[in-house]
Amino acid sequence: MHTFFTPLTIVLASLSMFCVAFVWYSPVLFFKAWLIGEGVTKEQLPKKTTWNIVQMSVYSIIAYGAIASVLAVMFDVLAVTTLILAITLSLLLGFGFIVTTRFVDMLYTIHGKHYEKRAQIKFLVSSLFYLVSLTVMASVIFVTSFL
């Protein structure tokens, strides 16, 4: 029986999501939009020490490992047989659990009204990040499980 939940798939999927986050929130893609969503300028961001950055990175990879583990277990339980099915399942989970909770978070914003540009940008940047990341993660889990 084929299994998706292996140490290799979890580590590689976690690292793939970390890489997507690195590019997603960089000046190349959505750093400026994220700043608008947060309501700050680049100059207003708190300075981070190397130790802070290392801690945040490790914690993120651990959290991404939890996401990868759940996806891999879901693929095993549902006996996923194709890459398209793996991506579809990850997007369904993303819409069902992440986008909806991000939307509710947007509704209860304490910074203005939920229908203002700032709240909507924050919602879109973070929600799309998770949908793209889950798609990449599902692809990595599916492909690396055959190695």
Side-chain angles (χ1 to χ4, degrees), residues 77-99:
V77 168
L78 297 173
V80 171
T81 56
T82 66
L83 179 59
I84 297 297
L85 185 57
I87 291 171
T88 302
L89 179 59
S90 70
L91 288 173
L92 284 171
L93 291 169
F95 274 109
F97 295 106
I98 295 172
V99 174

Side-chain angles (χ1 to χ4, degrees), residues 15-63:
L15 293 175
S16 73
M17 191 167 182
F18 185 78
C19 291
V20 170
F22 183 80
V23 174
W24 191 267
Y25 291 104
S26 74
V28 174
L29 288 181
F30 297 108
F31 181 69
K32 289 180 184 176
W34 178 80
L35 286 174
I36 292 168
E38 291 295 327
V40 296
T41 64
K42 185 177 179 181
E43 293 75 29
Q44 292 172 316
L45 288 174
K47 301 296 181 221
K48 301 285 185 189
T49 65
T50 303
W51 178 244
N52 292 130
I53 294 169
V54 168
Q55 283 180 313
M56 291 187 314
S57 299
V58 168
Y59 296 152
S60 295
I61 291 171
I62 291 169

